[in-house]
C-alpha cells in the first residue's frame, strides 16, 4: 500500500501544519546544495526561480531555445482562484468541492484542498510580478466563468493567460540566472536519471546542438516536464512535448500513476489531413457565449447558415439543461464524439461540431464579442480561412492534458527518494478529469509554493551524508547506456520514418484509449503496440549523426519512449473496470449512456511499477473524509 | 499543389552555406507551411539524406520558436503572423519558395534555418522583471490599475520573442523587442518603481549584444506577429532620456 504522507489534522490546517512541522535548511547550508530542475514551464521556471531565490544552486534544463517557449505559454483561457471577488458564492471550500467532484473522486482530498487554498495568494503573486490581468474600468481585477463551474473564479489576460503567467515565471527565472543562482541549459534534453544508493542523484543530458552527452550531479532532482499527450501524435500539445524524462524515471523505479487518464479537450480545430502534425486548441472560454450544435438530420450537407433553427440540435443544452454548453470537458467531448459517430458531424472530414456565436452577437453586439474573444476569432480565420463572426466555428475533440503522471506524495516526491515531479508530469490534483483553468494553477503552485516548502524536509536529512560526484560509476554506466541506445537507433537504417511510426501509434491510441475504451479494443491495442515496438526497432530510419543538431534523432528517441508509455496507458485503462471522468469504459455505463463509477472496488490511484518490461500494480487507497463521493450529474 | 523549395543549408556558423532546391508534390492547400517542410523532411529521410533543421514548437503562433524568411519576408507573405500559422493556400501552384534563416549579426546560425537568439534572453536577464520575491505580494486588488493601462501593458506584454522584428530590420535593431518588455513593465505601478534602472540596463545590454540602432523605418511593426506598435520605441527613448537625466 502506498503512503501519500498526508498530514494529520483538520483538512483546513493540513498544509500549515505540514509547514510548521517540516524540517528546514539554514541559508548557509542551502549554498552547498545543488538541485536539478528539468523543464522550464510554469512549474519548472517557478520552482527554479524560487529555489534560486532561497539560495540553492540550481541547474535548469529545457529542450527549447529559451525558457520562454515552454508549452505553458499556449494556455489561453485563465487561471482559477477562490477570491470571491464577484460575490457569487465562491470560496476555498467550493473550489475544493468543484475540483474533487470534477475529477470524479479519483484525487486526494488533502492535495485538492491545498490547491484551492493556495489559489488566492497565487493571483497576488502574479499581479505583483507584472501579469496584466484583465481589469474593470475602476481598476479592480475582473473574472469570467469557465467550463464545469457555475461561479466566476477565472482570472485572465485576454486569451493569452498562459503566456503572461509563463513570461512572469521566465522573468523571475531570468533574474536568478543573472544573479548566478540558476544556470540555464536551453536546447538540452534529459535522457536518463542517475540513482545512487536508491536516491536520485543526477541526470544524463544531451546537448541538442552538439549531441554532447553530459553528467549532472545534484542533491535532488525535480522533474517539471509537462504532459505526454503527444503519445496520440495529434494533440493540442507543442510538437516537442514528450514523456522521455518521466519515462526514464519510471524505468528507474518511479511509479507511474493513472497513465490512461487523458483529458480530451472539446474545443480544438478539427483535423483536416493525414499529414497534419498537431491540433490547435481554441480556448474553452468560447463556450461561455458560443452555442454548440449539429444538424438534426444525419448527413445534412447544407451550409451552416442555411440550416434553420428547427433543424439544429443544441445537444448539450438538450441533454444537460443546467450546465448546457458549459458541461465539463469529458462530457462535452464524449457528447461530440457521439454526434460525430452517429453521422451528425460537419466539415470536410465530418469530424466536427458547430460552435455558434450568432445568438451571442445578436444579444451582446459584435464589439463585445470582439473584445472578449477577438484574438481567438483571428486565429481561427488564419488557420481555416473562415470568418466566424459570419458563420459558426467548427470544433472537434482533441487529446490535451495528461492527468496521469509520476505518482507523488503530499510533498510532491515520487517513489524514488530525492526525485520530485511537479506540474502536469505528476499525478496529483485533477483526478480523472481536470477542470478548466486549473492546470496553470496547479503548475504554478507546485513550482512556486509547494515544492520549495517540501524539498527542505528531504534535503535537511540528506545533507548529513557524503555527496557522490559525477565520477561515480553509476554516472558512467548511465551515460554508456544512453550512448548505446542512440547508436542502436542510428544503426538500424530501415525503411520507415519516425513520423510513420508516430502516426501508427497515434491511430491505435486515439481509436482505443481516448474518449471511450472497451476490453476487446484495449487488448487489441496492447498487442498492436507490442508489434509496433518491435517493428520500430527493426525498421526505423534515422539519418544524420549523433554529433550535430539532429531533429530526427530527437524525435526517434522520444517516440521509442512514447511507444512503451502507450502500452502502459492501455494496460491501465484495461485494468480499471469502471467509468470515471476521462476514462469511459463502454462496459460500464447506464442505460442513458452516462458513466458508471465503481467506488467500492476502484476508489484508488493506480500506481504502476516497472520491472524488466513488466508492470506491477500498486494501490493508493483514496479516503474521502470531508466530501462523500456523489454521482457527477450535470443534467 | 506542387512547389519548389529553395532552402538555405548550412552545417554551422563556421562554414559557408548555400541554397539547395527541392521539388515537392501532392501538397494540400490546407496544410501548414511547416507541415509541408515536415513532408519534405520525410522524403529526405527516405532518400537517406539529412533533414533540414528548422525551429518550431507550439504550432499555434504563441511560443515564438519558429521563424524564417520566406520569399524575402519574415514569417512569410502575410503581415502580423508566425511561420507556423502560414498555410500553403497562401502560395500558388508551381511557385518557387525561398526559405532563409533570420539574418542578424547577433543571431549566429546554428544549422540550416536555426539561429541562436539567446541575446534576447540576456536582454531580459538584464532587467526585464519586477523584483519581488515569492510570497511577498500584497492583495492583488490593493493596487488599482485602470483597464486602459492594463490593456496598454498587455498590448506590449504580448511580444512572443520570435526575433522577426530584428531579422526584418535593415539595422538588425532589437528596439521593438526591448521596448515592448519595457513598456509592459514600466506602465504598471508594480514595475514603475524600477523603471529608470530597468530602462538603462536593458538598453545597455541591447547595445552590448551588438544589435543595430533603430532608424524608425517601421518594418518591425509590420512583421511583428503580435502587431506590437513602434510607439513603444518612442516610449523607451523617452524613458531612457528621463533615466539619464535623473541619474
Amino acid at each position: 500500500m502506498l503512503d501519500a504522507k498526508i498530514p494529520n489534522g483538520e483538512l483546513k490546517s493540513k498544509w500549515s501544519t505540514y509547514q510548521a512541522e517540516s524540517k528546514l535548511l539554514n541559508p548557509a547550508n542551502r549554498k552547498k546544495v545543488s538541485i536539478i530542475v528539468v523543464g522550464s514551464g510554469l512549474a519548472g521556471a517557478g520552482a527554479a526561480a524560487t529555489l534560486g531565490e532561497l539560495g540553492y544552486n540550481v541547474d535548469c534544463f529545457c529542450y527549447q531555445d529559451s525558457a520562454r517557449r515552454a508549452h505553458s505559454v499556449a494556455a489561453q483561457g485563465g487561471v482559477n482562484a477562490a477570491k470571491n471577488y464577484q460575490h457569487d458564492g465562491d470560496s476555498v471550500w467550493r473550489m475544493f468541492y468543484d475540483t474533487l467532484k470534477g475529477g470524479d473522486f479519483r484525487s486526494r482530498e488533502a492535495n485538492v484542498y491545498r490547491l484551492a487554498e493556495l489559489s488566492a495568494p497565487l493571483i497576488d503573486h502574479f499581479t505583483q510580478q507584472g501579469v496584466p490581468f484583465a481589469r474593470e474600468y475602476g481598476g479592480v481585477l475582473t473574472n469570467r466563468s469557465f467550463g464545469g463551474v457555475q461561479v466566476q473564479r477565472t482570472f485572465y489576460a485576454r486569451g493569452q493567460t498562459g503566456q503572461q503567467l509563463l513570461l512572469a515565471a521566465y522573468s523571475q527565472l531570468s533574474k536568478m540566472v543573472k544573479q548566478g543562482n540558476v544556470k540555464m541549459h536551453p536546447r538540452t534534453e534529459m535522457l536518463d536519471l542517475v540513482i545512487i544508493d536508491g536516491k536520485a542523484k543526477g541526470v544524463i543530458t544531451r546537448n541538442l546542438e552538439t549531441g554532447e552527452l553530459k553528467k549532472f550531479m545534484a542533491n535532488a532532482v525535480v522533474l517539471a516536464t509537462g504532459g505526454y499527450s503527444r503519445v496520440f501524435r495529434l494533440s493540442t500539445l507543442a510538437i516537442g512535448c514528450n514523456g522521455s524524462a518521466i519515462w526514464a524515471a519510471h524505468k528507474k523505479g518511479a511509479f507511474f500513476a493513472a497513465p490512461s487518464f487523458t483529458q480530451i479537450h472539446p474545443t480544438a480545430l478539427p483535423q483536416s489531413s493525414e499529414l497534419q502534425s498537431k491540433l490547435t486548441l481554441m480556448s474553452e472560454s468560447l463556450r461561455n457565449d458560443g452555442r454548440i450544435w449539429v444538424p438534426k438530420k444525419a448527413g445534412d450537407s447544407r451550409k451552416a447558415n442555411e440550416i434553420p433553427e428547427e433543424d439544429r440540435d443544441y445537444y448539450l443544452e438538450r441533454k444537460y439543461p443546467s450546465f448546457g454548453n458549459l458541461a465539463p470537458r469529458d462530457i462535452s467531448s464524449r457528447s461530440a464524439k457521439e454526434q460525430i459517430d452517429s453521422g451528425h458531424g460537419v466539415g470536410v472530414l465530418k469530424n466536427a461540431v458547430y460552435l455558434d456565436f450568432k445568438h451571442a452577437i445578436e444579444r451582446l453586439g459584435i464589439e463585445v464579442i470582439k473584445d472578449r474573444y477577438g484574438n481567438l476569432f483571428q486565429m481561427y480565420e488564419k488557420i481555416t480561412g473562415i470568418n466566424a463572426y459570419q458563420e459558426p466555428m467548427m470544433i472537434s475533440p482533441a487529446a490535451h492534458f495528461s492527468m496521469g503522471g509520476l505518482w507523488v506524495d503530499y510533498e510532491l516526491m515520487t517513489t524514488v527518494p530525492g526525485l520530485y515531479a511537479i506540474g502536469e508530469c505528476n499525478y496529483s490534483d485533477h483526478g480523472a478529469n481536470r477542470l478548466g483553468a486549473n492546470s496553470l494553477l496547479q503548475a504554478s503552485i507546485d513550482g512556486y509554493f509547494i515544492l520549495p516548502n517540501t524539498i527542505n524536509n528531504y534535503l535537511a536529512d540528506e545533507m548529513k551524508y557524503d555527496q557522490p560526484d559525477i565520477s561515480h560509476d553509476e554516472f558512467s554506466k548511465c551515460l554508456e547506456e544512453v550512448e548505446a541506445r542512440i547508436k542502436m537507433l542510428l544503426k538500424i537504417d530501415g525503411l520507415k520514418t519516425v513520423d510513420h511510426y508516430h502516426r501508427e501509434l497515434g491511430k491505435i491510441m486515439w481509436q482505443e484509449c481516448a474518449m471511450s475504451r472497451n476490453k476487446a479494443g484495449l487488448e487489441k491495442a496492447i498487442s498492436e503496440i507490442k508489434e509496433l515496438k518491435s517493428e520500430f526497432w527493426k525498421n526505423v530510419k534515422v539519418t544524420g549523426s549523433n554529433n550535430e543538431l539532429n531533429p530526427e534523432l530527437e524525435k526517434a528517441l522520444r517516440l521509442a519512449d512514447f511507444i512503451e508509455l502507450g502500452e502502459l496507458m492501455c494496460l491501465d485503462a484495461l485494468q480499471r473496470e469502471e467509468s470515471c471522468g476521462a476514462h469511459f469504459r463502454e462496459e460500464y455505463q447506464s442505460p442513458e449512456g452516462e458513466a458508471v463509477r465503481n467506488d467500492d472496488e476502484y476508489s484508488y490511484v493506480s500506481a504502476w511499477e516497472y520491472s524488466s518490461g513488466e508492470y506491477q500494480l500498486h494501490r493508493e487507497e483514496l479516503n474521502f473524509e470531508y466530501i462523500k463521493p456523489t454521482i457527477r450529474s450535470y443534467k | 499543389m506542387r512547389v519548389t523549395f529553395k532552402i538555405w543549408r548550412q552545417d554551422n556558423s563556421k562554414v559557408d552555406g548555400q541554397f539547395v532546391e527541392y521539388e515537392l508534390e501532392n501538397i494540400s492547400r490546407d496544410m501548414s507551411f511547416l507541415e509541408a517542410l515536415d513532408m519534405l523532411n520525410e522524403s529526405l529521410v527516405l532518400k537517406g539524406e539529412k533533414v533540414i533543421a528548422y525551429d518550431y514548437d507550439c504550432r499555434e503562433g504563441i511560443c515564438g520558436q519558429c521563424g524564417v524568411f520566406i520569399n524575402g519576408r519574415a514569417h512569410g507573405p502575410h503581415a502580423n503572423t508566425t511561420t507556423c500559422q502560414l498555410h500553403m493556400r497562401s502560395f500558388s501552384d508551381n511557385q518557387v519558395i525561398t526559405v532563409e534563416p533570420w539574418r542578424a549579426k547577433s543571431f549566429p546560425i546554428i544549422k540550416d534555418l536555426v539561429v541562436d537568439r539567446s541575446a534576447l534572453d540576456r536582454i531580459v536577464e538584464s532587467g526585464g522583471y519586477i523584483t519581488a520575491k515569492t510570497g511577498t505580494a500584497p492583495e492583488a486588488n490593493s493596487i488599482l490599475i485602470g483597464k486602459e493601462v492594463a490593456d496598454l501593458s498587455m498590448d506590449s506584454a504580448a511580444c512572443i520573442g520570435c526575433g522577426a522584428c530584428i531579422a526584418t530590420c535593415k539595422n538588425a535593431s532589437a528596439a521593438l523587442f526591448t521596448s515592448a518588455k519595457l513598456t509592459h513593465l514600466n506602465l504598471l505601478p508594480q514595475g514603475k518603481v524600477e523603471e529608470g534602472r530597468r530602462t538603462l540596463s536593458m538598453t545597455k545590454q541591447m547595445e552590448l549584444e551588438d544589435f543595430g540602432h533603430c532608424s524608425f523605418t517601421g518594418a518591425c511593426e509590420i512583421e511583428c506577429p503580435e502587431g506590437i506598435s513602434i510607439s513603444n520605441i518612442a516610449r523607451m527613448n523617452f524613458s531612457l532620456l528621463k533615466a539619464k537625466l535623473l541619474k
Side-chain angles (χ1 to χ4, degrees):
Chain A
M1 193 74 73
L2 280 164
D3 178 13
K5 291 194 241 160
I6 299 166
N8 292 326
E10 277 297 301
L11 187 63
K12 288 178 181 171
S13 54
K14 280 186 193 294
W15 178 233
S16 51
T17 306
Y18 173 84
Q19 284 177 291
E21 290 175 357
S22 66
K23 293 172 194 133
L24 295 178
L25 213 64
N26 84 50
N29 278 342
R30 288 184 213 142
K31 285 181 208 151
K32 300 176 202 156
V33 174
S34 51
I35 300 172
I36 283 170
V37 178
V38 185
S40 64
L42 262 177
T50 310
L51 293 169
E53 205 174 87
L54 286 164
Y56 295 107
N57 298 298
V58 181
D59 280 289
C60 182
F61 302 86
C62 71
Y63 71 78
Q64 300 92 341
D65 76 330
S66 163
R68 67 175 299 146
R69 319 273 184 221
H71 197 55
S72 310
V73 80
Q76 295 164 347
V79 54
N80 282 339
K83 275 199 171 268
N84 195 26
Y85 280 163
Q86 308 303 331
H87 287 278
D88 51 6
D90 202 11
S91 63
V92 169
W93 183 267
R94 190 178 293 273
M95 184 167 164
F96 156 64
Y97 178 84
D98 285 347
T99 304
L100 199 73
K101 183 183 169 208
D104 227 348
F105 299 92
R106 290 294 171 262
S107 46
R108 238 178 250 149
E109 275 187 334
N111 279 56
V112 177
Y113 191 85
R114 180 173 62 182
L115 178 87
E117 185 184 354
L118 295 178
S119 66
L122 187 76
I123 298 303
D124 303 338
H125 167 80
F126 275 129
T127 304
Q128 183 58 31
Q129 290 187 352
V131 172
F133 283 120
R135 299 267 171 171
E136 301 287 354
Y137 283 98
V140 295
L141 290 151
T142 188
N143 299 91
R144 60 185 171 201
S145 65
F146 227 64
V149 294
Q150 289 169 308
V151 291
Q152 288 183 292
R153 69 161 69 104
T154 305
F155 292 78
Y156 63 101
R158 290 208 185 121
Q160 289 128 287
T161 317
Q163 178 197 39
Q164 290 311 309
L165 301 196
L166 180 74
L167 290 182
Y170 158 74
S171 73
Q172 296 303 306
L173 182 67
S174 301
K175 186 175 73 180
M176 298 322 298
V177 169
K178 184 71 174 179
Q179 282 189 24
N181 293 21
V182 177
K183 170 113 179 63
M184 193 63 216
H185 305 266
R187 292 199 198 269
T188 306
E189 192 157 32
M190 168 186 154
L191 291 184
D192 208 355
L193 174 73
V194 181
I195 294 185
I196 296 169
D197 299 331
K199 294 172 185 165
K201 287 292 170 194
V203 295
I204 305 295
T205 61
R206 180 170 182 271
N207 179 323
L208 301 180
E209 269 180 50
T210 62
E212 186 195 4
L213 298 178
K214 221 170 159 180
K215 307 162 185 170
F216 284 90
M217 176 269 159
N219 300 82
V221 176
V222 180
L223 301 182
T225 59
Y228 51 81
S229 291
R230 279 277 292 165
V231 77
F232 293 92
R233 181 167 170 90
L234 285 177
S235 78
T236 61
L237 271 60
I239 305 291
C241 289
N242 65 87
S244 286
I246 54 170
W247 195 248
H250 174 56
K251 288 175 101 171
K252 286 286 172 76
F255 290 6
F256 209 117
S260 71
F261 288 178
T262 302
Q263 180 164 77
I264 309 296
H265 201 291
T267 60
L269 299 187
Q271 181 185 3
S272 64
S273 82
E274 168 81 1
L275 288 175
Q276 200 158 329
S277 57
K278 82 156 267 163
L279 297 173
T280 302
L281 184 69
M282 298 296 285
S283 168
E284 186 175 33
S285 64
L286 291 167
R287 293 203 279 147
N288 284 333
D289 288 305
R291 295 180 71 193
I292 293 170
W293 63 276
V294 290
K296 271 185 185 161
K297 200 177 100 205
D300 193 332
S301 57
R302 287 177 289 179
K303 285 185 184 150
N305 286 341
E306 290 166 5
I307 300 178
E309 283 296 322
E310 61 269 24
D311 291 345
R312 299 178 177 196
D313 179 12
Y314 294 89
Y315 59 89
L316 283 177
E317 297 170 36
R318 170 171 58 80
K319 285 165 63 184
Y320 305 98
S322 57
F323 278 73
N325 296 298
L326 291 175
R329 293 178 175 179
D330 54 339
I331 288 175
S332 302
S333 297
R334 210 162 46 244
S335 300
K337 183 177 189 283
E338 274 167 26
Q339 296 300 330
I340 291 165
D341 288 350
S342 63
H344 296 264
V346 297
V348 186
L349 300 179
K350 303 283 175 207
N351 57 354
V353 297
Y354 289 124
L355 175 65
D356 202 339
F357 283 84
K358 189 178 85 173
H359 298 99
I361 291 170
E362 281 165 8
R363 185 166 43 93
L364 301 164
I366 198 161
E367 286 311 315
V368 173
I369 297 299
K370 275 189 180 164
D371 189 50
R372 285 185 191 169
Y373 314 107
N375 64 319
L376 298 169
F377 276 63
Q378 276 172 11
M379 183 174 96
Y380 185 79
E381 188 164 10
K382 254 183 206 171
I383 296 170
T384 62
I386 294 169
N387 178 344
Y389 293 109
Q390 288 164 6
E391 55 185 294
M393 287 182 180
M394 278 181 280
I395 54 162
S396 190
H400 184 51
F401 188 91
S402 326
M403 277 80 69
L406 293 183
W407 183 88
V408 288
D409 59 23
Y410 189 74
E411 298 185 300
L412 306 182
M413 202 203 281
T414 67
T415 49
V416 174
L419 179 71
Y420 293 80
I422 60 175
E424 191 177 346
C425 76
N426 73 16
Y427 170 84
S428 65
D429 304 0
H430 308 299
N433 179 44
R434 179 180 62 80
L435 290 186
N438 266 355
S439 68
L440 292 176
L441 170 65
Q442 186 232 334
S444 304
I445 64 160
D446 278 9
Y448 278 116
F449 295 162
I450 303 173
L451 178 91
N453 277 291
T454 59
I455 202 165
N456 313 311
N457 212 26
Y458 170 77
L459 292 170
D461 283 338
E462 193 52 28
M463 285 298 293
K464 296 172 195 155
Y465 306 107
D466 285 342
Q467 297 309 317
D469 61 38
I470 54 168
S471 60
H472 193 284
D473 286 349
E474 196 56 32
F475 273 96
S476 313
K477 195 174 139 248
C478 281
L479 191 134
E480 282 160 21
E481 281 167 9
V482 170
E483 209 165 26
R485 188 172 159 88
I486 291 171
K487 276 190 183 145
M488 208 195 311
L489 268 176
L490 289 168
K491 221 174 102 185
I492 299 168
D493 196 27
L495 295 169
K496 299 272 173 69
T497 62
V498 178
D499 284 345
H500 163 82
Y501 288 107
H502 203 167
R503 282 191 288 269
E504 293 302 304
L505 177 67
K507 276 180 209 157
I508 300 170
M509 294 302 292
W510 186 246
Q511 194 58 37
E512 308 298 350
C513 198
M515 272 170 289
S516 64
R517 302 101 188 257
N518 63 56
K519 186 170 187 280
L522 288 163
E523 282 169 349
K524 184 167 136 266
I526 291 169
S527 95
E528 284 175 352
I529 294 171
K530 280 187 202 288
E531 265 174 54
L532 193 76
K533 182 179 169 183
S534 118
E535 159 78 9
F536 171 84
W537 283 98
K538 276 184 213 138
N539 204 20
V540 76
K541 190 176 181 77
V542 181
T543 54
S545 75
N546 179 33
N547 307 318
E548 60 183 328
L549 178 65
N550 188 344
E552 278 302 295
L553 178 61
E554 290 167 31
K555 282 199 284 191
L557 284 161
R558 292 170 192 161
L559 186 65
D561 296 330
F562 274 145
I563 294 175
E564 294 180 3
L565 172 56
E567 185 189 337
L568 179 62
M569 288 168 75
C570 294
L571 201 67
D572 181 58
L574 182 64
Q575 189 275 332
R576 188 167 282 272
E577 294 186 326
E578 65 159 351
S579 292
C580 62
H583 170 70
F584 186 79
R585 273 287 293 268
E586 288 159 15
E587 300 93 324
Y588 307 97
Q589 55 179 306
S590 68
E592 297 85 40
E594 300 300 324
V596 174
R597 215 174 57 216
N598 180 352
D599 288 334
D600 292 341
E601 290 176 75
Y602 290 94
S603 192
Y604 59 77
V605 178
S606 324
W608 298 89
E609 182 184 8
Y610 178 91
S611 167
S612 322
E614 297 295 318
Y615 302 97
Q616 193 199 334
L617 178 68
H618 298 264
R619 292 173 175 84
E620 179 204 333
E621 295 296 336
L622 294 168
N623 299 310
F624 297 97
E625 275 183 76
Y626 297 90
I627 296 178
K628 198 175 152 7
T630 51
I631 293 170
R632 279 174 69 214
S633 171
Y634 293 90
K635 285 189 182 285
Chain B
M1 277 175 77
R2 184 195 156 279
V3 296
T4 303
F5 279 115
K6 206 172 146 190
I7 296 177
W8 186 259
R9 305 285 321 242
Q10 185 171 345
D11 270 348
N12 55 58
S13 59
K14 294 182 188 73
V15 299
D16 289 341
Q18 75 282 323
F19 280 108
V20 180
E21 282 195 17
Y22 304 93
E23 308 282 327
L24 193 63
E25 290 182 356
N26 298 324
I27 300 167
S28 138
R29 292 173 60 78
D30 285 333
M31 193 178 256
S32 77
F33 175 82
L34 293 182
E35 280 162 1
L37 286 187
D38 290 341
M39 194 176 159
L40 173 61
N41 269 348
E42 257 194 287
S43 72
L44 292 180
V45 171
L46 292 173
K47 282 191 243 167
E49 292 176 30
K50 281 186 192 182
V51 295
I52 299 152
Y54 51 94
D55 259 332
Y56 56 82
D57 203 20
C58 78
R59 298 211 179 182
E60 46 190 85
I62 191 77
C63 79
Q65 177 129 330
C66 65
V68 284
F69 259 84
I70 301 163
N71 288 341
R73 281 191 72 178
H75 293 303
H78 305 298
N80 308 131
T81 189
T82 53
T83 303
C84 66
Q85 298 299 291
L86 173 66
H87 289 74
M88 293 309 286
R89 69 177 84 92
S90 301
F91 302 97
S92 53
D93 204 12
N94 292 316
Q95 191 173 344
V96 177
I97 304 173
T98 308
V99 192
E100 301 165 78
W102 281 168
R103 303 262 192 226
K105 192 176 166 190
S106 311
F107 287 168
I109 288 182
I110 294 173
K111 191 179 178 185
D112 297 338
L113 304 170
V114 178
V115 300
D116 177 357
R117 286 168 291 194
S118 53
L120 302 185
D121 287 328
R122 291 189 291 273
I123 291 176
V124 173
E125 283 160 21
S126 72
Y129 42 77
I130 287 168
T131 304
K133 288 195 171 183
T134 307
T136 58
E139 149 61 43
N141 265 350
S142 67
I143 301 168
L144 299 177
I145 303 170
K147 184 179 187 308
E148 296 86 351
V149 175
D151 283 352
L152 206 56
S153 173
M154 181 64 213
D155 288 344
S156 309
C159 165
I160 61 172
C162 62
C165 51
I166 294 149
T168 203
C169 173
K170 65 188 170 90
N171 309 320
S173 163
L176 191 67
F177 170 82
T178 310
S179 67
K181 193 79 237 165
L182 284 168
T183 305
H184 158 212
L185 297 172
N186 291 351
L187 274 177
L188 299 170
Q190 295 91 332
K192 198 118 202 126
V193 186
E194 295 172 286
E195 177 182 351
R197 206 165 46 157
R198 175 182 303 118
T199 309
L200 286 169
S201 60
M202 286 181 77
T203 47
K204 175 82 184 158
Q205 188 65 34
M206 193 168 74
E207 283 171 25
L208 290 173
E209 296 291 346
D210 233 355
F211 287 108
H213 282 282
C214 168
S215 51
F216 273 107
T217 54
C220 54
E221 183 180 284
I222 294 165
E223 298 300 32
C224 171
E226 294 294 329
I228 287 168
S229 162
I230 50 171
S231 61
N232 284 320
I233 302 175
R235 202 177 271 114
M236 172 175 79
N237 290 340
F238 174 69
S239 180
L240 181 62
L241 202 63
K242 196 167 69 176
K244 278 183 175 167
L245 287 170
L246 291 172
K247 200 177 160 188

